[in-house]
Amino acid sequence: MTVPFLKIDGIRKEYGPVVAVEDVNLTIERGELVTFLGPSGSGKSTTLYILAGFEKPTLGDIRLNGQTLLSTPSHQRNIGMVFQRYTLFPHLSVGDNIAFPLKVRRKSKADVTERVREMLKLVRLEGYEDRKPAMMSGGQQQRVALARALAYDPPILLMDEPLSALDKKLRDELQHEIRRIHHETDVTILYVTHDQEEALRLSDRIAVFSKGRIDQVGTGPELYADPATRFVAEFVGDSDFLSCRVTHSQGGRANVVLGGDFAVEGVPLHDERGTPGEGALLLRPERIDLSRSEPTGWRGLPVRVDDVTFLGSNVHVIAQTGWGETVSVRLPFGHEHISGLSRGDEAWLRFDPNEAHVFV
Amino acid sequence: MLLDFDRLGWWRWALGGFTAAVAAFLLLPIVFIAALSFGSSQWLIFPPPSWTTRWYSELFADQRWLDAALNSLKIGLVVTVLSVVIGLAASFALVRGRFRGRETLKALFLTPMILPVVVLAVALYAFFLRLGINGTMTGFVIAHLLVALPFSILALTTALEGFDKSIEDAAILCGASPFEAKMRVTLPGISAGLFSAAIFSFLTSWDEVVLAIFMASPTLQTLPVRIWSTLRQDLTPVVASVSTLLVLVTIVLMLLVALIRKGLSKP
């Protein structure tokens, strides 16, 4: 068996009585871009700070190429990091900021000059060498921070919500840049974010954090198509949840009843050890079909339309079931049943039980 | 806006007049002193009958004044260095430390600011007598350090609170040891605070008279003590010229603080 590049092994972090991180395990391949996705307080940043060495885990180990990292102090770990806040050294010019880690490593003057030039080119800020950080925009500052963190060729780059202070347009632009730089440098990136869209856009794999644990690790499509927990289903992509009763379960599938009499059979089942018998049925808004007339040949879930919103390429329909739960449905523009659909209309919904999920 | 200056009408003139009156009240005594120091009258008559630089020549010819100024300078500089170094260490603990009683400790550090100086002076006098350091440089420095430290700690805690610790963390991940990161990144980052702390510490010691009177001996006097004792013996315009020079030093230092702040806040 080969030794994994980076292994996070059973990390636990307690702050007094509070458990911030609980049994986090993750294996990361060289050159991967893995995001830690989760809401604030889910333990994703704490895990990153343990990797950086600013926090010590209560239990567990982190191994890089089989060697534990925990006994190495932060400044000798040779890890790069871009922070959420702007952390350029305010008294140094852009060039001197990028040169800082190289000077600390006592590189020769020629090497430093050459490397600074290379890094500025990588982040597309040639000619900004003599600027002071305060004269640059937030996006430019984070680019310089990225250049500084990569200047010494670290095997791992940590990024702690580096774009959260930027506006949407800049964020999109820098996400693109980060992907490009990741391809060009082959550095392994661990990226913390609470923004699912950002995670989906950037990552090779996503680790979804909830309440100090990793709920699921996988590629974006994997998480979307087959969420392991209700939390993952809610956090990645849009979702509809309908409460249901489980009447029968076997071999990872369940038969459920919605609203007293609407039976759905053979839905993939995820056991979260909730109240037995009671569950939530997950549907994806774009995987639901809508019909204006009582369908023949299949049994539709009758609903009343509450709202119809035109969103360009698709149309968003909010409907209410007979027992008062709300379902949102996204239909492609031009769908046969959309024209003239308005508030108060009756409609019937259809979905494939294989694409639904039940969480109990 | 409710109180728009442009819409105040004749109130503007009233406000302007009031401001001018306050400024005059604060500044005129200084102007008088400066004028008197160049006046020819032995009795500090205003307006002076004619102008002279005689008092300045007398001042610079008198070894006792020069000694006193030198003592003030020496004590001031030692106090400045110690106050900044100790204040910096204390500020790191107060801002970055996470321990019980931190707020209380901070308040304790600032008490010399509100404690009547004369109380402190009497207490130190009794204490120093026992240690046998009354009338020594050491006694002076310790006494002045006590009143200078709160200013230093105030300036440095404010500066450190305004300095994002992530910047220091970034330097550490770049490969700098925690000490190196502080020296090369954090201290330059709070340089405005360091300058303020240094200048206020110096001025506190340089101007201080109450503690100094208690600490002074016939052989070791500071400038304010010398002024005080001279005033008690005879009222000579030399005192006015010393005062003018003291004011000048203070103005220069305050301007320096303003310039440095402005220079450092600008990129």
Side-chain angles (χ1 to χ4, degrees), chain A residues 101-308:
Chain A
L102 304 169
K103 285 181 179 163
V104 168
R105 286 171 174 71
R106 316 229 177 283
K107 299 273 189 232
S108 77
K109 208 165 180 180
D111 284 356
V112 172
T113 317
E114 169 63 19
R115 189 67 179 156
V116 168
R117 211 183 46 76
E118 245 174 71
M119 286 293 117
L120 282 170
K121 184 157 180 262
L122 180 72
V123 298
R124 304 197 167 157
L125 283 175
E126 294 116 313
Y128 283 78
E129 216 162 331
D130 298 326
R131 293 257 187 130
K132 280 287 179 69
M135 289 168 68
M136 305 185 72
S137 71
Q140 289 173 327
Q141 289 194 44
Q142 290 302 63
R143 278 171 196 251
V144 178
L146 189 60
R148 184 179 65 187
L150 289 173
Y152 45 103
D153 248 331
I156 302 171
L157 175 65
L158 308 176
M159 302 185 92
D160 183 18
E161 310 211 18
L163 310 182
S164 58
L166 307 177
D167 64 45
K168 171 121 179 63
K169 191 163 166 286
L170 258 177
R171 213 157 50 219
D172 289 353
E173 190 186 311
L174 271 155
Q175 282 165 1
H176 187 74
E177 286 284 278
I178 290 169
R179 274 204 76 84
R180 177 180 64 78
I181 289 167
H182 179 232
H183 288 311
E184 282 179 24
T185 57
D186 277 333
V187 63
T188 306
I189 301 181
L190 299 182
Y191 192 105
V192 163
T193 180
H194 62 264
D195 179 351
Q196 51 138 321
E197 199 184 309
E198 185 165 278
L200 289 169
R201 239 182 234 220
L202 286 174
S203 355
D204 297 320
R205 283 192 304 154
I206 301 171
V208 183
F209 277 71
S210 164
K211 295 175 185 160
R213 291 170 176 276
I214 293 183
D215 267 21
Q216 191 176 7
V217 186
T219 63
E222 278 167 16
L223 297 182
Y224 189 71
D226 196 14
T229 65
R230 180 175 172 151
F231 179 82
V232 174
E234 262 174 302
F235 213 75
V236 180
D238 294 329
S239 47
D240 284 318
F241 281 102
L242 294 173
S243 53
C244 63
R245 199 157 45 76
V246 178
T247 51
H248 176 75
S249 66
Q250 195 179 18
R253 299 261 170 176
N255 297 345
V256 300
V257 174
L258 297 176
D261 67 341
F262 189 82
V264 186
E265 292 181 355
V267 185
L269 172 72
H270 303 270
D271 187 2
E272 291 186 4
R273 294 159 198 275
T275 319
E278 281 174 38
L281 184 80
L282 162 73
L283 301 173
R284 295 297 188 188
E286 74 283 2
R287 306 300 293 170
I288 301 174
D289 198 9
L290 179 144
S291 169
R292 297 285 293 281
S293 50
E294 172 104 52
T296 49
W298 51 277
R299 186 161 171 240
L301 179 66
V303 292
R304 207 188 64 245
V305 174
D306 265 357
D307 196 16
V308 181

Side-chain angles (χ1 to χ4, degrees), chain A residues 8-25 43 46-47 50 55-62 70 211-213:
Chain A
I8 301 175
D9 195 1
I11 290 292
R12 180 186 178 87
K13 176 68 183 175
E14 297 168 5
Y15 294 101
V18 182
V19 182
V21 175
E22 201 173 351
D23 196 31
V24 163
N25 291 286
T46 308
T47 306
I50 290 172
E55 301 278 0
K56 282 202 183 344
T58 314
L59 280 177
D61 196 7
I62 289 171
L70 296 182
K211 295 175 185 160
R213 291 170 176 276

Side-chain angles (χ1 to χ4, degrees), chain A residues 13 45-57 62 69-77 79 81 158, chain B residues 165 169 172-173 178:
Chain A
K13 176 68 183 175
S45 286
T46 308
T47 306
L48 202 75
Y49 276 80
I50 290 172
L51 277 156
F54 294 133
E55 301 278 0
K56 282 202 183 344
I62 289 171
L69 260 185
L70 296 182
S71 50
T72 313
S74 292
H75 66 283
Q76 287 165 4
R77 285 194 186 185
I79 284 177
M81 182 155 178
L158 308 176
Chain B
K165 184 167 184 296
D169 286 344
I172 290 174
L173 274 187

